[in-house]
Amino acid sequence: MPDSTRYHLVLEYDGTRFCGWQSQSNALSVQDTLEEAIFRYSRARVRTVAAGRTDTGVHALAQQIHFDLPGQPAAQEVRDALNYYLRAGQSHDITVTQAAIAHSEFHARFDAVRRHYLYRLLVHPTPPALDRKRVLWVRHPINLPAMEQAASCLLGKHDFSAFRAASCQAKTSIRTMESLTLTQQTTATGDEVHLRFTADGFLQNQIRIIVGSLLMIGLERWQPERLEQILQSARRSEAGPTAAAQGLYFAGADYPPVP
Amino acid sequence: MPDSTRYHLVLEYDGTRFCGWQSQSNALSVQDTLEEAIFRYSRARVRTVAAGRTDTGVHALAQQIHFDLPGQPAAQEVRDALNYYLRAGQSHDITVTQAAIAHSEFHARFDAVRRHYLYRLLVHPTPPALDRKRVLWVRHPINLPAMEQAASCLLGKHDFSAFRAASCQAKTSIRTMESLTLTQQTTATGDEVHLRFTADGFLQNQIRIIVGSLLMIGLERWQPERLEQILQSARRSEAGPTAAAQGLYFAGADYPPVP
């Protein structure tokens, strides 16, 4: 029996009432809320590590985390116990969707080779009611082919300084965008456009600034060619506004096969 | 220019914080909230009439209503103005999705020849986070073919007394179920089963009691044949529990073509 065991969990959460993933002294984070549930279950004070630090109001469909627990409880027990203690603490907005025992060196952040995000736009003449905290509302029709044409310049390895928050602390602004797709989805409450992003990693606010810039093109205020000029400029002031947090979802991370 | 004009509106709403559609003296209703927005826009105190009276916590994808306004403002102005005043009053959970000028005798309730409801089940080992107020969570796998087999006995004209709340005030419990379908849907957050109901009308809690009974069959606590026995018994005590309001959506009403 080992002294402790490393767990790899997948989380779904509604980011609406949280200051983001990361623990903060003066605000409620997903991380602190989860760690409190881990403590109530295990009596262990543990630090969790996540694949992606979501900002205030950003949701997760599949956040990936790791942490160690004393002993070796079964992964499904950990999953169900944390869901129980989260709800006992009135945190109905966080769910552990999957749990597995990982090898002792597994690292949810450093081992992630690829990260996926989803951004949801509701394109409709009237605002959403049921999904008001789940999508960005766009009142006017958008030119999707123009947005797709523009977005293609972002594929590959680039300096994404133009699409980076002033407060971003990453050491380098070079990232490799592996895919960026725009698809139309018809849901019960309207027509949505889903933007899906895959890269080795993302800078702070990178997706939201890209979406804000693509919307300027979709609304035909900018020509599609302007996106490449913005990218080349490497200046945040050239790019569009930061799109609202409520439309953004951390959608997963990929890890190499276990050696 | 007529003294007043009749409007036919379609509403989407999140039922979570409301006591239901119908105005009540001691609780917040969708109807009163909407009528307050109509007053702020038009300075007219009007009474609205809806196709279906949704209960506490029940949502609407397409509630249908009518009311009269002085003068003849354009339908799109009415739609946009009500969405503005609803939001100015912090009611982001109600949206007017469509508006049209109706003929002066149009009646959203009495003219409706058919009503549609949707009930959403999330069948998943872990509870929903993002959709926690939008679906009923079913932890264990369900036998969908058994539920479909059972449900077929409800099609056609029947006395639905067994599936009727004690407080139901309808004059007759005879209704004609035109269709009842169960479909599997894969969404970003899990596997859902959508139950869609179409009938000339529904008794109070009828759908929720049918869903609660079908779930007893889906979970294999009851045989499929039992649903027909319950229907024949005409006794509420024979049927299953009333399924939670949060999974139910008023999904529309049909009207005859304008003469």
Side-chain angles (χ1 to χ4, degrees):
Chain A
M1 187 83 149
D3 286 349
S4 75
T5 305
R6 183 152 295 189
Y7 291 86
H8 176 185
L9 265 55
V10 182
L11 307 179
E12 176 195 327
Y13 52 79
D14 172 358
T16 307
R17 74 182 176 110
F18 297 106
C19 65
W21 162 261
Q22 182 101 337
S23 177
Q24 286 186 25
S25 57
N26 58 347
L28 186 70
S29 65
V30 177
Q31 185 177 26
D32 285 344
T33 305
L34 180 71
E35 289 175 3
E36 183 63 24
I38 294 172
F39 173 72
R40 287 181 182 274
Y41 161 55
S42 67
R43 295 286 135 190
R45 289 278 177 208
V46 307
R47 200 88 268 233
T48 55
V49 174
R53 298 184 193 173
T54 55
D55 284 331
T56 306
V58 173
H59 314 298
L61 296 168
Q63 175 68 281
Q64 313 259 334
I65 68 160
H66 84 257
F67 59 92
D68 297 331
L69 281 183
Q72 193 170 27
Q76 193 175 319
E77 177 193 306
V78 174
R79 180 194 77 184
D80 292 343
L82 294 184
N83 285 333
Y84 171 79
Y85 283 104
L86 283 164
R87 278 153 190 78
Q90 300 302 314
S91 298
H92 299 263
D93 41 11
I94 304 176
T95 287
V96 180
T97 57
Q98 296 175 51
I101 290 178
H103 62 90
S104 61
E105 303 293 310
F106 172 77
H107 197 286
R109 184 174 166 206
F110 298 140
D111 291 355
V113 291
R114 213 175 284 115
R115 290 166 172 86
H116 308 279
Y117 279 88
L118 164 69
Y119 199 99
R120 289 172 61 186
L121 302 174
L122 178 76
V123 184
H124 203 73
T126 60
L130 283 155
D131 282 341
R132 65 196 181 282
K133 300 286 179 64
R134 303 282 181 266
V135 297
L136 175 65
W137 175 44
V138 180
R139 182 197 288 256
H140 301 289
I142 54 176
N143 184 336
L144 212 58
M147 291 170 74
E148 283 179 323
Q149 184 196 329
S152 62
C153 77
L154 302 176
L155 293 174
K157 191 171 178 177
H158 299 285
D159 176 353
F160 282 98
S161 293
F163 306 101
R164 173 185 190 165
S167 54
C168 180
Q169 292 173 11
K171 286 183 198 123
T172 164
S173 50
I174 309 288
R175 293 288 184 275
T176 301
M177 187 80 77
E178 297 185 24
S179 76
L180 198 177
T181 62
L182 289 82
T183 52
Q184 275 185 297
Q185 302 269 333
T186 301
T187 70
T189 52
D191 286 327
E192 292 191 19
V193 173
H194 287 189
L195 296 97
R196 294 181 185 276
F197 298 79
T198 298
D200 52 348
F202 291 91
L203 303 166
Q204 197 186 352
N205 285 4
Q206 182 180 346
I207 293 169
R208 291 164 59 191
I209 301 170
I210 291 174
V211 171
S213 303
L214 284 174
L215 270 175
M216 295 293 275
I217 292 159
L219 294 167
E220 298 182 342
R221 290 183 212 163
W222 291 354
Q223 292 295 316
E225 296 72 28
R226 184 147 166 193
L227 201 71
E228 182 149 21
Q229 294 159 12
I230 295 167
L231 179 68
Q232 301 296 342
S233 79
R235 292 174 57 192
R236 171 68 186 91
S237 57
E238 294 294 308
T242 306
Q246 73 208 30
L248 184 58
Y249 298 75
F250 186 89
D254 296 346
Y255 298 94
V258 177
Chain B
M1 187 83 147
D3 286 349
S4 74
T5 305
R6 183 152 294 190
Y7 291 86
H8 175 185
L9 267 53
V10 182
L11 306 180
E12 175 194 328
Y13 51 80
D14 172 356
T16 307
R17 73 181 175 109
F18 297 107
C19 65
W21 162 261
Q22 182 101 337
S23 176
Q24 285 186 25
S25 57
N26 57 346
L28 185 71
S29 65
V30 177
Q31 185 177 27
D32 285 345
T33 305
L34 180 72
E35 290 175 2
E36 183 62 25
I38 294 171
F39 173 72
R40 286 179 183 276
Y41 160 56
S42 67
R43 294 288 135 187
R45 289 280 175 207
V46 305
R47 201 88 266 236
T48 55
V49 174
R53 297 183 194 175
T54 55
D55 283 331
T56 305
V58 174
H59 313 298
L61 296 168
Q63 176 68 283
Q64 314 259 336
I65 68 162
H66 84 257
F67 59 92
D68 296 330
L69 281 182
Q72 192 170 30
Q76 192 174 320
E77 176 191 309
V78 173
R79 181 194 76 182
D80 292 343
L82 294 184
N83 285 333
Y84 171 80
Y85 282 104
L86 283 164
R87 278 151 190 80
Q90 300 303 315
S91 298
H92 299 263
D93 42 8
I94 306 175
T95 288
V96 180
T97 57
Q98 295 175 54
I101 290 177
H103 62 89
S104 62
E105 302 294 310
F106 172 77
H107 197 286
R109 184 172 167 209
F110 297 140
D111 291 355
V113 290
R114 211 174 286 114
R115 289 165 173 86
H116 309 281
Y117 279 88
L118 164 68
Y119 197 98
R120 289 173 60 186
L121 302 174
L122 178 76
V123 184
H124 203 70
T126 59
L130 283 156
D131 281 341
R132 65 196 182 282
K133 302 285 180 63
R134 303 282 181 266
V135 298
L136 175 65
W137 176 43
V138 181
R139 180 195 289 255
H140 300 289
I142 54 175
N143 185 337
L144 212 59
M147 291 169 75
E148 283 180 323
Q149 183 196 331
S152 63
C153 78
L154 302 176
L155 292 174
K157 190 172 180 177
H158 299 286
D159 176 352
F160 283 98
S161 292
F163 306 100
R164 174 184 190 166
S167 54
C168 180
Q169 292 174 13
K171 285 182 198 123
T172 162
S173 51
I174 309 289
R175 293 288 183 276
T176 301
M177 187 80 78
E178 295 184 26
S179 77
L180 198 177
T181 62
L182 289 80
T183 53
Q184 276 185 297
Q185 302 269 333
T186 301
T187 69
T189 53
D191 286 327
E192 292 191 17
V193 173
H194 287 188
L195 296 96
R196 295 182 184 276
F197 299 80
T198 299
D200 53 348
F202 292 91
L203 303 166
Q204 198 186 355
N205 286 1
Q206 182 180 347
I207 293 170
R208 292 165 58 191
I209 300 169
I210 291 174
V211 171
S213 303
L214 284 173
L215 269 176
M216 296 294 275
I217 292 159
L219 294 167
E220 298 182 343
R221 293 187 210 159
W222 291 354
Q223 293 294 317
E225 297 71 31
R226 183 144 165 197
L227 201 71
E228 182 149 21
Q229 294 160 11
I230 295 167
L231 179 69
Q232 300 298 340
S233 78
R235 292 174 56 191
R236 171 67 187 89
S237 57
E238 295 293 310
T242 306
Q246 73 208 30
L248 184 58
Y249 299 74
F250 187 89
D254 297 345
Y255 298 94
V258 178

